[in-house]
Protein backbone atom coordinates (compact mmCIF):
# COMPACT_ATOMS: atom_id res chain seq x y z
CA UNK A 1 0.00 0.00 0.00
CA UNK A 2 1.28 3.45 -0.92
CA UNK A 3 1.60 6.00 1.84
CA UNK A 4 0.12 9.48 1.38
CA UNK A 5 -0.01 10.42 5.06
CA UNK A 6 0.58 14.14 5.55
CA UNK A 7 0.15 14.88 1.85
CA UNK A 8 -2.44 17.25 0.40
CA UNK A 9 -3.77 16.06 -2.95
CA UNK A 10 -6.20 17.96 -5.18
CA UNK A 11 -8.50 15.90 -7.41
CA UNK A 12 -10.69 17.56 -10.05
CA UNK A 13 -13.89 16.10 -11.46
CA UNK A 14 -14.37 14.38 -8.12
CA UNK A 15 -18.17 14.44 -7.83
CA UNK A 16 -18.53 11.19 -9.75
CA UNK A 17 -16.97 8.74 -12.17
CA UNK A 18 -13.22 8.28 -12.25
CA UNK A 19 -12.57 11.42 -10.21
CA UNK A 20 -14.67 10.05 -7.38
CA UNK A 21 -12.85 6.72 -7.61
CA UNK A 22 -9.44 8.41 -7.58
CA UNK A 23 -10.37 10.52 -4.55
CA UNK A 24 -11.54 7.51 -2.55
CA UNK A 25 -8.41 5.47 -3.29
CA UNK A 26 -6.18 8.37 -2.25
CA UNK A 27 -8.25 8.81 0.90
CA UNK A 28 -7.80 5.13 1.73
CA UNK A 29 -4.05 5.61 1.41
CA UNK A 30 -3.97 8.42 3.93
CA UNK A 31 -4.00 11.56 1.81
CA UNK A 32 -5.82 14.75 2.66
CA UNK A 33 -7.94 14.85 -0.49
CA UNK A 34 -9.42 18.11 -1.71
CA UNK A 35 -12.20 17.11 -4.08
CA UNK A 36 -13.10 19.70 -6.72
CA UNK A 37 -16.06 19.76 -9.07
CA UNK A 38 -18.47 22.25 -10.62
CA UNK A 39 -21.27 19.91 -9.53
CA UNK A 40 -22.38 20.74 -5.99
CA UNK A 41 -22.85 17.03 -5.27
CA UNK A 42 -19.09 16.92 -4.67
CA UNK A 43 -19.81 18.30 -1.19
CA UNK A 44 -22.01 15.33 -0.33
CA UNK A 45 -19.56 12.87 -1.88
CA UNK A 46 -16.68 14.27 0.15
CA UNK A 47 -18.79 14.20 3.33
CA UNK A 48 -19.76 10.59 2.66
CA UNK A 49 -16.11 9.58 2.36
CA UNK A 50 -15.25 11.64 5.43
CA UNK A 51 -17.87 9.75 7.44
CA UNK A 52 -16.23 6.52 6.26
CA UNK A 53 -13.01 7.67 7.90
CA UNK A 54 -11.13 9.44 5.10
CA UNK A 55 -9.75 12.99 5.10
CA UNK A 56 -11.80 14.20 2.12
CA UNK A 57 -13.07 17.74 1.67
CA UNK A 58 -15.29 19.07 -1.09
CA UNK A 59 -14.97 22.33 -3.02
CA UNK A 60 -17.21 23.71 -5.74
CA UNK A 61 -14.84 24.87 -8.46
CA UNK A 62 -15.14 25.70 -12.15
CA UNK A 63 -11.77 24.61 -13.56
CA UNK A 64 -12.39 26.68 -16.70
CA UNK A 65 -12.44 29.87 -14.61
CA UNK A 66 -8.87 30.97 -13.91
CA UNK A 67 -9.76 33.23 -11.01
CA UNK A 68 -12.04 30.66 -9.39
CA UNK A 69 -9.25 28.08 -9.56
CA UNK A 70 -6.76 30.48 -7.96
CA UNK A 71 -9.25 31.30 -5.18
CA UNK A 72 -9.94 27.64 -4.38
CA UNK A 73 -6.26 26.69 -4.40
CA UNK A 74 -5.46 29.64 -2.14
CA UNK A 75 -8.23 28.52 0.21
CA UNK A 76 -6.89 24.96 0.27
CA UNK A 77 -3.40 26.18 1.15
CA UNK A 78 -4.78 28.37 3.95
CA UNK A 79 -6.65 25.38 5.38
CA UNK A 80 -4.07 22.60 4.93
CA UNK A 81 -0.73 24.37 4.54
CA UNK A 82 0.24 23.52 0.97
CA UNK A 83 -0.54 21.37 -2.07
CA UNK A 84 1.71 18.39 -2.67
CA UNK A 85 0.03 16.65 -5.58
CA UNK A 86 -2.63 17.12 -8.24
CA UNK A 87 -4.82 14.74 -10.23
CA UNK A 88 -6.66 16.35 -13.14
CA UNK A 89 -9.58 14.02 -13.85
CA UNK A 90 -12.30 16.51 -14.84
CA UNK A 91 -13.42 16.10 -18.43
CA UNK A 92 -16.37 16.23 -20.81
CA UNK A 93 -17.14 14.50 -24.09
CA UNK A 94 -19.45 14.98 -27.04
CA UNK A 95 -19.92 13.34 -30.41
CA UNK A 96 -20.57 15.87 -33.18
CA UNK A 97 -19.93 15.91 -36.92
CA UNK A 98 -17.02 18.12 -37.87
CA UNK A 99 -19.09 20.14 -40.39
CA UNK A 100 -22.06 20.56 -38.08
CA UNK A 101 -23.28 24.12 -37.46
CA UNK A 102 -22.68 23.63 -33.73
CA UNK A 103 -19.20 22.13 -34.08
CA UNK A 104 -17.32 25.31 -33.13
CA UNK A 105 -19.43 25.86 -30.03
CA UNK A 106 -19.01 22.25 -28.92
CA UNK A 107 -15.26 22.37 -29.65
CA UNK A 108 -14.84 25.47 -27.49
CA UNK A 109 -16.78 23.93 -24.62
CA UNK A 110 -14.81 20.66 -24.71
CA UNK A 111 -11.41 22.35 -25.01
CA UNK A 112 -12.35 24.74 -22.22
CA UNK A 113 -12.85 21.92 -19.72
CA UNK A 114 -10.48 19.25 -20.98
CA UNK A 115 -7.50 21.44 -21.83
CA UNK A 116 -7.95 24.86 -20.24
CA UNK A 117 -9.05 23.22 -17.00
CA UNK A 118 -5.80 21.25 -16.81
CA UNK A 119 -3.79 24.33 -17.78
CA UNK A 120 -5.45 26.40 -15.04
CA UNK A 121 -5.01 23.91 -12.21
CA UNK A 122 -1.39 23.15 -13.13
CA UNK A 123 -0.59 26.86 -13.10
CA UNK A 124 -2.26 27.18 -9.70
CA UNK A 125 -0.60 24.12 -8.13
CA UNK A 126 2.96 24.19 -9.42
CA UNK A 127 4.04 27.31 -7.47
CA UNK A 128 3.29 25.49 -4.22
CA UNK A 129 5.17 22.42 -5.43
CA UNK A 130 8.15 24.63 -6.20
CA UNK A 131 8.03 25.92 -2.63
CA UNK A 132 7.97 22.32 -1.38
CA UNK A 133 10.95 21.33 -3.52
CA UNK A 134 9.01 18.56 -5.24
CA UNK A 135 5.61 17.57 -6.53
CA UNK A 136 3.65 15.22 -8.74
CA UNK A 137 0.83 15.74 -11.23
CA UNK A 138 -1.30 13.23 -13.11
CA UNK A 139 -3.38 14.51 -16.03
CA UNK A 140 -6.19 12.45 -17.52
CA UNK A 141 -5.81 12.31 -21.29
CA UNK A 142 -7.33 9.42 -23.30
CA UNK A 143 -6.52 6.75 -25.84
CA UNK A 144 -8.91 8.77 -28.02
CA UNK A 145 -6.93 11.37 -29.90
CA UNK A 146 -3.54 9.90 -28.99
CA UNK A 147 -3.89 6.36 -30.31
CA UNK A 148 -7.38 5.89 -31.76
CA UNK A 149 -10.47 7.89 -32.65
CA UNK A 150 -13.99 7.59 -34.06
CA UNK A 151 -16.00 9.74 -36.41
CA UNK A 152 -17.56 12.69 -34.65
CA UNK A 153 -14.84 12.81 -32.00
CA UNK A 154 -12.63 15.52 -33.53
CA UNK A 155 -13.08 18.04 -30.71
CA UNK A 156 -12.68 15.49 -27.93
CA UNK A 157 -9.70 13.87 -29.66
CA UNK A 158 -7.98 17.22 -30.11
CA UNK A 159 -8.54 18.16 -26.46
CA UNK A 160 -7.10 14.93 -25.11
CA UNK A 161 -4.12 14.99 -27.46
CA UNK A 162 -3.46 18.52 -26.22
CA UNK A 163 -3.45 17.31 -22.62
CA UNK A 164 -0.88 14.65 -23.48
CA UNK A 165 1.29 17.25 -25.18
CA UNK A 166 1.04 19.64 -22.27
CA UNK A 167 1.96 16.84 -19.88
CA UNK A 168 5.21 16.13 -21.73
CA UNK A 169 6.08 19.83 -21.95
CA UNK A 170 5.54 20.38 -18.22
CA UNK A 171 7.49 17.21 -17.39
CA UNK A 172 10.48 18.65 -19.24
CA UNK A 173 10.09 22.18 -17.91
CA UNK A 174 9.97 21.15 -14.27
CA UNK A 175 12.08 17.99 -14.17
CA UNK A 176 15.03 19.83 -12.68
CA UNK A 177 12.72 21.13 -9.94
CA UNK A 178 11.77 17.55 -8.97
CA UNK A 179 8.18 17.99 -10.14
CA UNK A 180 6.92 15.01 -12.09
CA UNK A 181 4.05 15.19 -14.60
CA UNK A 182 2.47 12.09 -16.13
CA UNK A 183 -0.66 11.27 -18.10
CA UNK A 184 -3.15 8.44 -17.91
CA UNK A 185 -4.83 7.41 -21.17
CA UNK A 186 -7.99 5.50 -20.26
CA UNK A 187 -9.95 3.36 -22.67
CA UNK A 188 -13.33 2.08 -21.54
CA UNK A 189 -13.66 2.39 -17.77
CA UNK A 190 -17.17 1.92 -16.40
CA UNK A 191 -18.65 5.16 -15.07
CA UNK A 192 -22.08 6.76 -15.05
CA UNK A 193 -21.12 8.45 -18.35
CA UNK A 194 -21.33 5.16 -20.25
CA UNK A 195 -24.77 4.31 -18.89
CA UNK A 196 -26.23 7.05 -21.12
CA UNK A 197 -26.07 4.60 -24.03
CA UNK A 198 -28.76 2.50 -22.37
CA UNK A 199 -29.96 3.98 -19.06
CA UNK A 200 -32.65 1.35 -18.60
CA UNK A 201 -30.28 -1.59 -19.00
CA UNK A 202 -26.62 -0.55 -18.61
CA UNK A 203 -25.53 -4.20 -18.53
CA UNK A 204 -26.20 -4.34 -22.26
CA UNK A 205 -23.64 -1.55 -22.72
CA UNK A 206 -21.11 -3.32 -20.51
CA UNK A 207 -21.50 -6.61 -22.40
CA UNK A 208 -21.29 -4.95 -25.82
CA UNK A 209 -18.19 -2.91 -25.07
CA UNK A 210 -16.48 -5.79 -23.29
CA UNK A 211 -16.56 -7.94 -26.43
CA UNK A 212 -14.00 -5.67 -28.10
CA UNK A 213 -11.56 -5.65 -25.19
CA UNK A 214 -8.93 -8.44 -25.01
CA UNK A 215 -9.23 -8.64 -21.21
CA UNK A 216 -12.93 -9.20 -21.77
CA UNK A 217 -14.23 -6.48 -19.48
CA UNK A 218 -14.32 -2.76 -18.80
CA UNK A 219 -11.96 -1.15 -16.33
CA UNK A 220 -13.13 0.03 -12.93
CA UNK A 221 -12.79 3.39 -11.22
CA UNK A 222 -10.88 1.62 -8.44
CA UNK A 223 -8.28 0.47 -10.96
CA UNK A 224 -8.06 4.02 -12.31
CA UNK A 225 -7.58 5.24 -8.75
CA UNK A 226 -4.83 2.74 -8.02
CA UNK A 227 -2.91 3.66 -11.18
CA UNK A 228 -3.29 7.36 -10.41
CA UNK A 229 -2.07 6.84 -6.86
CA UNK A 230 1.00 4.96 -8.13
CA UNK A 231 1.99 7.73 -10.53
CA UNK A 232 1.42 10.39 -7.88
CA UNK A 233 3.33 8.52 -5.18
CA UNK A 234 6.98 9.02 -4.31
CA UNK A 235 7.47 5.32 -5.07
CA UNK A 236 7.24 6.15 -8.80
CA UNK A 237 9.81 8.90 -8.44
CA UNK A 238 11.76 8.06 -11.64
CA UNK A 239 8.71 8.23 -13.93
CA UNK A 240 7.85 11.52 -15.62
CA UNK A 241 6.48 12.57 -19.01
CA UNK A 242 4.92 9.13 -19.38
CA UNK A 243 1.62 8.14 -21.05
CA UNK A 244 0.15 5.20 -19.15
CA UNK A 245 -2.49 3.39 -21.22
CA UNK A 246 -5.34 1.95 -19.16
CA UNK A 247 -7.48 0.09 -21.68
CA UNK A 248 -7.38 -3.69 -21.17
CA UNK A 249 -5.27 -3.96 -24.36
CA UNK A 250 -8.13 -2.63 -26.50
CA UNK A 251 -5.78 -0.45 -28.57
CA UNK A 252 -3.52 -3.42 -29.30
CA UNK A 253 -6.18 -5.23 -31.34
CA UNK A 254 -4.95 -5.66 -34.92
CA UNK A 255 -6.66 -8.60 -36.62
CA UNK A 256 -10.11 -8.94 -35.01
CA UNK A 257 -11.85 -6.72 -37.58
CA UNK A 258 -9.95 -8.34 -40.44
CA UNK A 259 -11.07 -11.77 -39.29
CA UNK A 260 -14.64 -10.54 -38.87
CA UNK A 261 -14.97 -8.65 -42.17
CA UNK A 262 -12.10 -9.79 -44.39
CA UNK A 263 -11.36 -12.91 -46.45
CA UNK A 264 -11.97 -16.25 -44.80
CA UNK A 265 -8.41 -17.35 -45.54
CA UNK A 266 -5.83 -15.14 -43.92
CA UNK A 267 -2.88 -17.43 -44.68
CA UNK A 268 -1.91 -19.47 -47.70
Amino acid sequence: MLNFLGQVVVVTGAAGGMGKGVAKILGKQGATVCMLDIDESVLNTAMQFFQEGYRTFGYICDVTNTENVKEIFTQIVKEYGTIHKLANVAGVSANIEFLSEDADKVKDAILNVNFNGVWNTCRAAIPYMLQNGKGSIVNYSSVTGNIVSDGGMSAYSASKAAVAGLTKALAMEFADKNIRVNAILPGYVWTEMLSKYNPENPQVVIDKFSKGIPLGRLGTVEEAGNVTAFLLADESGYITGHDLVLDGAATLVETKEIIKKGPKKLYK
Side-chain angles (χ1 to χ4, degrees), residues 211-224:
K211 289 179 181 178
I213 300 172
L215 283 184
R217 64 176 179 84
L218 276 66
T220 68
V221 294
E222 291 79 13
E223 288 170 324

Side-chain angles (χ1 to χ4, degrees), residues 5-264:
L5 286 173
Q7 298 184 34
V8 179
V9 185
V10 174
V11 180
T12 71
M18 280 188 281
K20 179 179 177 181
V22 168
K24 187 168 187 178
I25 290 294
L26 290 168
K28 284 183 177 180
Q29 296 177 348
T32 295
V33 186
C34 299
M35 300 170 59
L36 276 55
D37 206 294
I38 197 170
D39 190 329
E40 293 184 7
S41 67
V42 71
L43 302 178
N44 292 330
T45 302
M47 180 56 67
Q48 175 191 335
F49 291 164
F50 186 85
Q51 291 171 346
E52 293 174 11
Y54 309 128
R55 286 183 54 80
T56 51
F57 306 93
Y59 297 84
I60 300 169
C61 180
D62 179 359
V63 295
T64 71
N65 186 314
T66 305
E67 292 306 314
N68 187 210
V69 170
K70 289 180 180 177
E71 291 170 3
I72 294 299
F73 278 58
T74 298
Q75 182 180 346
I76 289 170
V77 171
K78 285 182 179 178
E79 293 174 346
Y80 307 111
T82 190
I83 293 170
H84 297 99
K85 291 167 182 179
L86 168 66
N88 278 309
V89 193
V92 295
S93 177
N95 188 305
I96 188 166
E97 293 182 1
F98 184 69
L99 297 181
S100 166
E101 291 184 1
D102 294 328
D104 286 339
K105 180 172 65 176
V106 171
K107 177 262 296 178
D108 289 344
I110 290 177
L111 281 169
N112 204 21
V113 176
N114 293 1
F115 180 74
N116 292 343
V118 173
W119 178 281
N120 290 338
T121 56
C122 286
R123 279 179 57 85
I126 288 175
Y128 299 111
M129 297 178 183
L130 290 171
Q131 291 175 8
N132 296 333
K134 66 177 181 178
S136 183
I137 298 173
V138 169
N139 296 323
Y140 267 64
S141 179
S142 176
V143 296
T144 306
N146 292 287
I147 304 174
V148 296
S149 192
D150 287 321
M153 297 300 288
S154 54
Y156 181 79
S157 295
S159 72
K160 290 302 187 178
V163 170
L166 176 62
T167 297
K168 289 179 173 60
L170 294 181
M172 286 300 297
E173 187 164 346
F174 294 100
D176 64 343
K177 304 299 183 184
N178 202 25
I179 296 173
R180 299 183 299 110
V181 191
N182 291 290
I184 293 178
L185 280 57
Y188 285 116
V189 175
W190 178 253
T191 67
E192 298 93 332
M193 187 181 293
L194 291 181
S195 65
K196 67 183 179 183
Y197 293 106
N198 193 334
E200 296 180 0
N201 190 356
Q203 189 61 45
V204 171
V205 180
I206 295 172
D207 293 343
K208 185 174 183 179
F209 284 14
S210 296
K211 289 179 181 178
I213 300 172
L215 283 184
R217 64 176 179 84
L218 276 66
T220 68
V221 294
E222 291 79 13
E223 288 170 324
N226 284 325
V227 170
T228 305
F230 169 70
L231 287 178
L232 286 175
D234 294 341
E235 285 82 351
S236 62
Y238 202 52
I239 301 175
T240 193
H242 180 67
D243 294 336
L244 193 153
V245 176
L246 180 71
D247 74 342
T251 54
L252 293 180
V253 175
E254 182 178 4
T255 58
K256 182 176 288 188
E257 290 302 311
I258 296 174
I259 293 171
K260 186 189 298 183
K261 299 177 182 178
K264 292 183 179 179

